Amino acid sequence: MHVPVQAIDREIWRDRVASEGTRLIPEETPLALTYNGGTYAVMMGTPQNLEDFAVGFSLDEGIISSVDDIKSLDVVRLDDGIELRMWLEQDNAARISERRRHIAGPTGCGICGIDSIAEAIRPAAVVPQGQTLTPDQIMAAMQAIAPLQSINMQTRAVHAAAFWSPANGMGALREDVGRHNALDKLAGALARSRTDASAGVVLLTSRISVEMVQKTAAIGAPVMVAVSAPTALAVRTAAAAGITLIAIARSDGFEVFTHPGRITAHRAPEIIDVVAC
């Protein structure tokens, strides 16, 4: 099935008493990314916002440097999965042979199949300086995520990646069963809408691993905020990339692990509430 949510019958046990009911759960399906006729990767993901996923994955993997490098993109729905079929300009086709991998990626896998340690921990791009933000802005941005997570409100089982800026409030928000996929989808949405990510913040409902930092750096966002803790390698990578890494964001505050200079107690202009696209 290629719908993002399925209704499943199940037996429920509460207080040693059995009953029956239906629960909405997220779908996951194989997503094959092909370039110029060859399969590059197969990831498990939520079948929604697939054009964004294809573009964002291609950008974050370094296969393309701009959305304009993709000559055509077709979403081909098959019986057992979905093919994201892309044709690239010839200059970009050479990058595929350098970084080609044939993988069956588990849900949320960010670097499965990479056979080089150096590739797995490659330095992230250095981000622009961006703007300073107040704690109130960070908190308001994170609190705005939950009401916009349409799939998670039904299933309580998917991650979200979102983009927020002081000027426009909440911009794009994308969901997926895999946290890496959600961030790839966000990257694609921002690239396709020509959004300048240096003016805002990437928000995550997951933990921060090194791949999430690398993807945020590729997006060009100078600040990333997550509800869970980062790994030590993620902190080191963010520090080198110039990213302000904020984690353990709760209703009463958060912790800043790198480049705290972008966070100031001074009051900023009023936050604009814009519904995510």
Side-chain angles (χ1 to χ4, degrees):
M1 298 294 290
H2 296 154
V3 296
V5 176
Q6 297 283 342
I8 302 296
D9 294 330
R10 86 276 197 223
E11 185 177 80
I12 308 164
W13 282 86
R14 293 285 186 272
D15 298 323
R16 299 181 180 178
V17 177
S19 62
E20 295 183 352
T22 300
R23 172 176 287 276
L24 295 174
I25 60 175
E27 184 60 77
E28 61 176 339
T29 191
L31 306 174
L33 296 112
T34 68
Y35 300 93
N36 292 12
T39 300
Y40 182 85
V42 179
M43 309 297 290
M44 300 300 296
T46 302
Q48 186 182 50
N49 302 124
L50 296 180
E51 292 88 352
D52 291 338
F53 176 58
V55 173
F57 181 92
S58 303
L59 287 166
D60 291 342
E61 285 287 305
I63 295 170
I64 62 174
S65 57
S66 165
V67 65
D68 297 326
D69 294 335
I70 300 177
K71 291 196 298 184
S72 67
L73 166 58
D74 296 308
V75 177
V76 182
R77 298 180 183 272
L78 309 172
D79 290 340
D80 55 356
I82 301 174
E83 180 180 341
L84 307 179
R85 189 177 296 169
M86 288 166 278
W87 291 89
L88 308 181
E89 298 291 348
Q90 192 59 41
D91 291 344
N92 297 97
R95 301 184 189 181
I96 302 174
S97 61
E98 297 173 3
R99 305 198 60 237
R100 182 179 296 278
R101 58 185 185 176
H102 296 275
I103 63 174
T107 298
C109 180
I111 55 174
C112 299
I114 289 179
D115 56 10
S116 166
I117 292 176
E119 177 64 21
I121 59 173
R122 68 186 187 277
V126 177
V127 300
Q129 176 57 37
Q131 306 179 47
T132 58
L133 302 165
T134 68
D136 285 347
Q137 287 178 310
I138 296 295
M139 301 296 294
M142 288 300 290
Q143 291 170 9
I145 293 178
L148 300 175
Q149 281 194 263
S150 59
I151 297 179
N152 197 56
M153 283 192 290
Q154 299 177 75
T155 66
R156 303 299 178 191
V158 298
H159 292 293
F163 181 77
W164 180 95
S165 68
N168 298 309
M170 189 68 77
L173 182 146
R174 295 294 182 266
E175 296 178 276
D176 199 277
V177 290
R179 58 196 173 95
H180 301 92
N181 294 347
L183 188 50
D184 282 335
K185 288 180 178 180
L186 177 66
L190 297 177
R192 296 175 72 204
S193 63
R194 312 288 177 172
T195 299
D196 179 9
S198 68
V201 181
V202 165
L203 310 171
L204 304 170
T205 62
S206 63
R207 67 183 177 88
I208 302 178
S209 56
V210 63
E211 316 93 89
M212 303 298 274
V213 175
Q214 291 167 337
K215 291 176 186 293
T216 299
I219 290 172
V223 180
M224 61 188 307
V225 187
V227 298
S228 298
T231 66
L233 180 56
V235 172
R236 294 194 295 270
T237 304
I243 292 175
T244 297
L245 190 158
I246 300 172
I248 317 176
R250 302 288 188 267
S251 59
D252 61 345
F254 50 80
E255 300 178 19
V256 184
F257 287 81
T258 59
H259 300 283
R262 291 191 181 94
I263 309 302
T264 175
H266 297 302
R267 191 172 184 82
E270 182 180 357
I271 298 170
I272 299 174
D273 184 17
V274 176
V275 175
C277 60

